Amino acid sequence: VSKSGGTKETRNGMLEAEARFAATGLRFARHAVAVTGVGSELDKHAETNGWLARFPMFDWIGGRTSVMSAVGLLPMALQGFDIDAFLAGAAAMDELTRASDVTQNAAMLLALMWYYVGNGKGEKDMVVLPYKDRLALFTKYLQQLVMESLGKEKNLAGEIVHQGIAVYGNKGSTDQHSYVQQLRDGVLNFFVTFVEVRNDRRGARFEVEDGITSGDYLEGFLRGTRSALYEKGRESITMSIPEVNAFYVAMLIALYERAVGFYGSLVNIN
């Protein structure tokens, strides 16, 4: 997967894979497909070497916003992921974020919160704490989406503005012990985003104490941490989804994509 086909990390991985296939007597081309721009180096390489298939991606799709294209959908489909539900979730959020009433538009509200807390200059970092193991990589995803999109030297008028919002974090509650101490008592240069999942598991209910599950504890940890930060004047946002599935993960991703777009407009950057 490479839009231009010229990215060296991707090319190097391809060459390593080709060599491993060759070492075991397998023809790499009979097991390889390319997701790339039409006419790119990778597209030409795949055609010349007789790869199984080539899946095009449009020039206007940025890498950080490519998860809804063949870049994300093809690997998802091959792993048995429900891509129809994924696209339906993104479409549902698209509809919601077209609302012209700001109070009913979650993406605009989120962008306005970012603008308010950072004085429109990204003065505070975004700390993302998802309380779900399956969302452990969500912070890394947001790092690229937010920082690559908003980290700009100049605004649309060509003025030097040095815009951006730094993103970091880890998952609650197991990993929060390593950094909540500073969040509560240290430098106030951040705001927190909690991601709450209301359904704690798919399988049978398991109680760690009489009438109490580990999911109940997890919810308590989130609320307790949020209260502790609030007591010290630390701002936070709470995102809440019913469960982690294709539909709601796509809604989350689409929400943040739209929020980034709105924020870019608010601070007048491309």
Side-chain angles (χ1 to χ4, degrees):
V1 180
S2 177
K3 181 177 175 179
S4 67
T7 305
K8 298 309 178 188
E9 296 93 337
T10 313
R11 184 214 58 179
N12 293 351
M14 179 189 73
L15 294 176
E16 293 254 8
E18 278 185 327
R20 288 297 183 96
F21 272 72
T24 56
L26 294 171
R27 280 192 58 220
F28 182 68
R30 295 182 62 185
H31 302 270
V33 300
V35 180
T36 187
V38 176
S40 74
E41 291 180 34
L42 178 58
D43 190 42
K44 294 173 184 175
H45 180 84
E47 183 179 23
T48 300
N49 290 279
W51 286 21
L52 287 175
R54 287 147 38 226
F55 295 85
M57 62 181 295
F58 298 110
D59 287 340
W60 50 264
I61 298 176
R64 61 194 176 279
T65 53
S66 63
V67 69
M68 307 292 177
S69 73
V71 167
L73 297 178
L74 178 62
M76 287 182 201
L78 292 172
Q79 295 177 72
F81 201 74
D82 189 348
I83 61 173
D84 289 331
F86 187 73
L87 291 173
M93 183 55 70
D94 269 348
E95 193 67 31
L96 293 169
T97 53
R98 290 191 182 106
S100 56
D101 181 351
V102 172
T103 65
Q104 300 301 311
N105 190 322
M108 180 55 83
L109 288 173
L110 193 55
L112 287 169
M113 291 176 193
W114 297 348
Y115 189 92
Y116 167 78
V117 77
N119 292 320
K121 300 174 183 177
E123 291 177 356
K124 291 186 179 178
D125 302 340
M126 183 190 307
V127 180
V128 182
L129 302 179
Y131 276 66
K132 192 73 170 178
D133 286 359
R134 294 176 66 209
L135 292 177
L137 295 177
F138 189 57
T139 302
K140 288 188 175 183
Y141 164 78
L142 288 182
Q143 272 185 333
Q144 182 181 12
L145 174 66
V146 175
M147 296 176 73
E148 188 176 349
S149 299
L150 301 180
K152 299 291 162 65
E153 180 184 25
K154 298 178 181 179
N155 64 15
L156 292 173
E159 301 163 328
I160 302 293
V161 291
H162 296 300
Q163 278 288 354
I165 302 175
V167 180
Y168 63 95
N170 217 320
K171 67 183 176 68
S173 68
T174 50
D175 294 331
Q176 71 182 45
H177 300 288
S178 60
Y179 48 79
V180 166
Q181 172 66 38
Q182 176 167 321
L183 298 185
R184 188 161 190 246
D185 296 333
V187 182
L188 183 49
N189 60 350
F190 67 91
F191 64 97
V192 176
T193 299
F194 293 99
V195 184
E196 170 193 60
V197 181
R198 296 194 294 277
N199 184 17
D200 67 345
R201 71 180 65 217
R202 290 179 174 179
R205 178 182 173 89
F206 177 78
E207 297 183 353
V208 293
E209 294 175 19
D210 189 25
I212 300 173
T213 68
S214 54
D216 295 329
Y217 263 106
L218 195 61
E219 177 70 13
F221 294 147
L222 185 156
R223 292 174 181 269
T225 302
R226 185 172 62 184
S227 295
L229 294 176
Y230 178 75
E231 289 169 0
K232 290 297 187 79
R234 272 61 173 148
E235 296 121 328
S236 71
I237 299 166
T238 302
M239 311 292 296
S240 184
I241 60 173
E243 60 181 303
V244 177
N245 62 22
F247 185 87
Y248 290 114
V249 168
M251 285 194 84
L252 265 184
I253 289 172
L255 170 64
Y256 273 89
E257 285 185 345
R258 308 306 168 261
V260 163
F262 284 139
Y263 185 88
S265 295
L266 291 172
V267 299
N268 194 36
I269 60 169
N270 180 0

